[in-house]
Amino acid sequence: MFWVEGGHPLQGTVHVDGSKNASLPILAATLAIAGEVTLEQIPQLQDVATMRQLLQSIGAAVELLDDGSIRINAHDVRSSVASYELVRQMRASVCVLGPLLARFGTARVSLPGGCNIGHRPIDLHLRGLAALGADIRLEAGYIVAEGSQLYGAELDLCGPHGPTVTGTCNIMIAAALAKGRTRIRSAAKEPEVQDFARFLNAAGAQISGAGTSIVEIDGVDHLRGVRHAVIPDRIEAATLAIAAAITHGDVTIKNAPTTHLTSVLNALDLIGIPFEVTPDTLHIRASSRLRPARLTADPYPGLPTDCQAQFMALLSTIPGESRITDTVFPERFRHAAELVRMGADIRIQGNSAVIHGVTQLSAAPVMASDLRASAALVLAALAAEGHSEIRRVYHLDRGYHAFEQKLNQLGARIQRVNDGPKI
Ligand code: UD1
């Protein structure tokens, strides 16, 4: 649980860690490589720890090095089973499906369960693997995929809410070790997908077009060991920028991947937040004259759905009517009810939230429902008058490293106290 004393403008310099969403599929992909892989800039997060545990449970040797990098050797992996116990803790565990199938011709991966941000099927992953020739069935809660030889194919990964990020990664790695050429249409264009392709290409894959909606992959016989540094976390950078804005602070964010943040910077601009950028620094300057805005979370290069909750917290503090629509996860609004407990005026209408900004949020005990919702509640608490109590911050620890320490170094007053049982 966090105790947060609101009302302190953030000031100073803060450093962004490596990207969670780039790290997870890359870590999973090491299962398809029979050599040593060294990964730099992997953030120390709960989700990364869960993925490490999953790799080890499958038989990979995982070593944390003194310089913070991770060395993985999956040479001796013999199993291709990802258990329910680990998969249920983190949906991104499904990223091991493509690598295991590609290398071993068979994979048995627990079907991920429900999720707090809405319905999250994996039909596109399965459809893509089936298009490459895999035989897919469900057996006692597990996806069983078989195909001793996969073949390149033309496939389209567009779902009802746009492309799939981890689905694109799963198909890319399976196709990287298939026979012949694969063309993925409606591929996700996220920077994390681009980093995944860079990693695989460095390991010997032949992938072109990552970052566009058409990705072409020429299959190779095997992938080799490699060293790779993951990109910085654009969502952490955006969260810190919004933290600076909501407290009317003045913060320099170092290691911010500003070329990946165009939509976030456009949203900050629309709201009237002054900032300066260099390729790896974002400086947010104080302003108390902010404007309401209409924002839409869309697939990349649109505004990330992973920033939607944080922007909702910010817009709750700006007088006037704002609206946020989420086309990627249309039901991802559980944080709204908690923000209302802090005095925000928010109504949900379908896949949109209509926000009437208030001049001052007030502290309250609130409960985090998922990773980005937790971040939004922390930001709201920084701006609120009084002491807020935020429960279930274990959600936050899944995706932010030392978040309260970073904010405290900027002048926030956040204290972590025992969260009690995870119920
Ligand atoms: C990834 C990110 C997550 C982010 C999300 C959207 C990782 C580890 N996680 O999740 O932080 O919020 O992208 O940017 O990178 N869908 C289907 N069928 C499928 C797969 C997805 O209908 O087979 C739908 C989803 O329900 C959702 C949309 O497509 O509405 C996008 O989901 P997707 O891109 O797959 O999200 P993840 O890759 O799970």
Side-chain angles (χ1 to χ4, degrees):
M1 183 168 80
F2 279 177
W3 279 98
V4 185
E5 182 183 283
H8 303 284
L10 300 187
Q11 269 166 0
T13 299
V14 64
H15 185 92
V16 173
D17 280 294
S19 161
K20 169 179 92 71
N21 287 352
S23 300
L24 295 174
I26 289 175
L27 283 162
T30 62
L31 289 170
I33 300 175
E36 193 173 275
V37 176
T38 305
L39 298 172
E40 298 168 13
Q41 311 290 336
I42 298 282
Q44 293 172 43
L45 307 168
Q46 188 50 48
D47 273 6
V48 166
T50 306
M51 183 59 85
R52 277 194 347 239
Q53 246 180 303
L54 182 58
L55 299 183
Q56 282 168 320
S57 77
I58 295 171
V62 182
E63 208 182 336
L64 291 180
L65 305 181
D66 289 343
D67 62 2
S69 51
I70 297 187
R71 187 154 60 206
I72 299 147
N73 196 328
H75 183 268
D76 294 331
V77 169
R78 295 286 174 263
S79 160
S80 55
V81 180
S83 75
Y84 174 62
E85 218 26 66
L86 288 161
V87 174
R88 75 180 177 82
Q89 292 177 36
M90 182 181 67
R91 291 187 58 83
S93 305
V94 75
C95 289
V96 302
L97 182 61
L100 288 175
L101 175 66
R103 177 155 164 217
F104 300 105
T106 172
R108 195 180 168 86
V109 176
S110 171
L111 200 59
C115 173
N116 283 344
I117 68 176
H119 184 49
R120 290 179 79 175
I122 55 159
D123 55 310
L124 297 169
H125 300 234
L126 304 185
R127 203 168 79 193
L129 295 175
L132 299 179
D135 176 38
I136 313 258
R137 59 184 192 278
L138 285 183
E139 231 175 61
Y142 278 72
I143 307 153
V144 181
E146 281 170 351
S148 46
Q149 179 63 65
L150 301 177
Y151 292 94
E154 294 253 347
L155 52 104
D156 192 305
L157 280 185
C158 193
H161 303 297
T164 162
V165 175
T166 51
T168 301
C169 294
N170 252 333
I171 307 310
M172 270 164 63
I173 184 148
L177 289 169
K179 226 182 199 32
R181 170 170 289 196
T182 296
R183 178 179 286 133
I184 307 177
R185 291 183 193 284
S186 310
K189 296 184 265 193
E190 270 68 2
E192 295 76 17
V193 173
Q194 298 174 40
D195 201 34
F196 188 70
R198 263 193 301 274
F199 165 74
L200 289 183
N201 282 341
Q206 294 198 9
I207 301 172
S208 59
T212 74
S213 58
I214 298 183
V215 176
E216 287 189 334
I217 304 137
D218 284 309
V220 296
D221 288 341
H222 69 279
L223 299 173
R224 56 175 180 266
V226 65
R227 173 180 278 270
H228 178 79
V230 302
I231 53 173
D233 197 309
R234 64 194 168 105
I235 308 300
E236 187 196 0
T239 305
L240 291 166
I242 299 169
I246 204 170
T247 61
H248 308 304
D250 188 319
V251 173
T252 301
I253 303 165
K254 297 245 182 200
N255 200 34
T258 53
T259 51
H260 301 158
L261 285 166
T262 306
S263 59
V264 170
L265 298 178
N266 287 342
L268 295 176
D269 202 31
L270 201 64
I271 295 169
I273 296 155
F275 60 83
E276 287 138 22
V277 286
T278 71
D280 61 356
T281 306
L282 170 56
H283 176 196
I284 301 290
R285 285 192 287 115
S287 170
S288 50
R289 286 207 309 238
L290 303 182
R291 299 184 288 267
R294 287 178 163 244
L295 305 178
T296 301
D298 269 330
Y300 193 82
L303 190 69
T305 172
D306 287 349
C307 294
Q308 181 252 102
Q310 300 90 313
F311 271 108
M312 191 182 294
L314 174 62
L315 292 172
S316 297
T317 66
I318 302 173
E321 182 178 297
S322 292
R323 191 181 185 95
I324 305 187
T325 301
D326 196 325
T327 68
V328 180
F329 291 113
E331 298 161 33
R332 187 179 203 174
F333 290 122
R334 287 188 64 185
H335 43 278
E338 298 302 299
L339 291 171
V340 166
R341 302 193 68 252
M342 302 179 76
D345 178 351
I346 304 170
R347 270 175 305 118
I348 305 302
Q349 292 178 350
N351 65 349
S352 298
V354 180
I355 304 145
H356 287 102
V358 296
T359 42
Q360 180 66 64
L361 292 177
S362 48
V366 288
M367 186 116 76
S369 54
D370 67 73
L371 166 55
R372 307 301 170 186
S374 339
L377 295 178
V378 173
L379 303 193
L382 293 178
E385 195 172 304
H387 288 86
S388 294
E389 194 183 292
I390 305 175
R391 296 179 190 199
R392 300 190 180 175
V393 290
Y394 51 82
H395 287 297
L396 188 87
D397 297 334
R398 287 189 37 216
Y400 293 90
H401 172 57
F403 194 54
E404 78 272 28
Q405 279 110 301
K406 287 188 182 187
L407 293 174
N408 284 344
Q409 275 164 17
L410 296 172
R413 307 251 171 101
I414 305 177
Q415 203 186 339
R416 184 183 284 260
V417 290
N418 191 359
D419 209 8
K422 294 183 182 185
I423 47 168

